[in-house]
Amino acid sequence: MTTPLRRLGATVAAATAVALVPVAGLPATAASAAAAPSTATAAPAAVGPVPTATTTTYRWVKADRARTTVKRSPSSRTIARPDDGTRLVVLDRYPKRLKVRLPDGRVGWVGKKRVTSVPLRDIIGRTYTTKRLRVTKDIRTTSRTITYADLGTRVVKRARTTQRDVDRIKVKLPGGRTGWVREGRFTKRDVWGELAQCESGGRVRLNTGNGYYGMYQFSSSTWRAVGGSGLPHYHGAQEQTKRAQILQRRAGWGQWPHCTSKLGLR
């Protein structure tokens, strides 16, 4: 006869045995985890890579003092006129206008035709051309030719490209016109000033009385042959130099044999 106490012990032993049986198909450790109540917080979902900031877009001023306005409309108030070569940060784009940040932090709008994506550097300095140069409207060599600068033309450098494959200089020509020419075609030597000093002491109004006139000692016939009117010494230095450049281009330095030999120009 089984006592109540023995029946109770058998029931407890059976329950304990059931609890210790591993869950089918799982390792003991996983089974233990499955059997144990979970108190841990669920792990957060995996987070993808944080997107990087967009690359800053720059433009460089290529126009003479590009007008920058407070609003997108070109007729709105002018807030700045950055010089050639100034770097601008592009903030927004429209078909003909760009919203930009100036180097001093101000924000405004500028015409797309006034800037370029070619990196530029602002420069300054008077210099002279070493040969006759083609001057183009824009930076690229394929741009439209606007004029030619004769040998020895005095120009003012305004900006230059900084990319190795684009060697271009923006210059201001006599009379105020600006354009782009190849780099490496300039010198600090004023050959026309030196020639005039040798020929006439640089005197614009010189009339020697021997049939030669002005800074470059033109004869009246030679002066007329290069498009001059009247007599050379009745004109200013710029006009006389212009005609001397035409003569040199047509006939070479031999038109001034003594002085050009002395100056090492031929």
Side-chain angles (χ1 to χ4, degrees):
M1 176 177 180
T2 306
T3 63
L5 184 57
R6 287 180 179 178
R7 287 198 300 269
L8 178 61
T11 303
V12 172
T16 304
V18 171
L20 295 176
V21 174
V23 178
L26 292 176
T29 53
S32 300
S38 176
T39 58
T41 305
V47 178
V50 177
T52 57
T54 55
T55 304
T56 303
T57 300
Y58 298 105
R59 290 292 184 272
W60 284 263
V61 176
K62 66 176 182 178
D64 304 319
R65 292 175 53 78
R67 182 171 172 264
T68 307
T69 57
V70 67
K71 295 182 180 180
R72 181 157 55 97
S73 171
S75 61
S76 67
R77 179 172 59 86
T78 301
I79 61 169
R81 292 184 181 273
D83 289 333
D84 318 63
T86 302
R87 191 178 74 169
L88 309 173
V89 178
V90 178
L91 303 177
D92 201 356
R93 295 178 177 84
Y94 278 77
K96 294 183 179 181
R97 306 280 286 171
L98 295 175
K99 186 177 184 180
V100 297
R101 181 182 297 116
L102 298 162
D104 62 7
R106 287 181 294 171
V107 173
W109 294 83
V110 67
K112 284 185 176 180
K113 291 184 177 181
R114 302 295 182 186
V115 298
T116 177
S117 60
V118 178
L120 301 179
R121 180 166 58 87
D122 186 25
I123 59 175
I124 194 68
R126 290 178 174 82
T127 188
Y128 303 88
T129 57
T130 58
K131 59 185 296 184
R132 191 170 188 252
L133 296 180
R134 184 172 75 97
V135 184
T136 60
K137 180 178 177 59
D138 214 332
I139 295 172
R140 303 294 176 183
T141 55
T142 53
S143 177
R144 178 173 61 86
T145 300
I146 59 172
T147 189
Y148 285 87
D150 283 307
L151 180 152
T153 299
R154 185 180 184 180
V155 300
V156 178
K157 293 183 178 181
R158 298 299 302 269
R160 71 176 295 273
T161 57
T162 60
Q163 293 178 330
R164 291 182 178 180
D165 59 337
V166 184
D167 57 340
R168 304 285 282 169
I169 295 284
K170 183 177 183 181
V171 295
K172 183 178 180 180
L173 302 167
R177 201 171 189 182
T178 60
W180 294 83
V181 297
R182 288 183 62 85
E183 188 181 18
R185 301 290 191 272
F186 303 99
T187 178
K188 293 184 178 179
R189 185 182 185 187
D190 178 11
V191 294
W192 294 108
E194 292 177 9
L195 181 59
Q197 187 65 36
C198 178
E199 288 285 336
S200 65
R203 288 172 287 177
V204 177
R205 306 300 177 192
L206 180 62
N207 178 359
T208 60
N210 61 357
Y212 295 93
Y213 310 91
M215 299 165 63
Y216 303 103
Q217 290 294 278
F218 274 99
S219 66
S220 58
S221 59
T222 303
W223 176 255
R224 288 192 297 272
V226 293
S229 61
L231 289 173
H233 64 296
Y234 294 149
H235 298 270
Q238 185 173 339
E239 176 67 10
Q240 290 188 41
T241 300
K242 176 182 176 180
R243 301 301 167 188
Q245 289 172 336
I246 294 173
L247 179 60
Q248 190 278 332
R249 191 165 67 244
R250 291 181 181 177
W253 289 119
Q255 297 298 305
W256 303 273
H258 171 72
C259 284
T260 55
S261 294
K262 178 179 177 181
L263 296 171
L265 296 175
R266 65 186 183 99

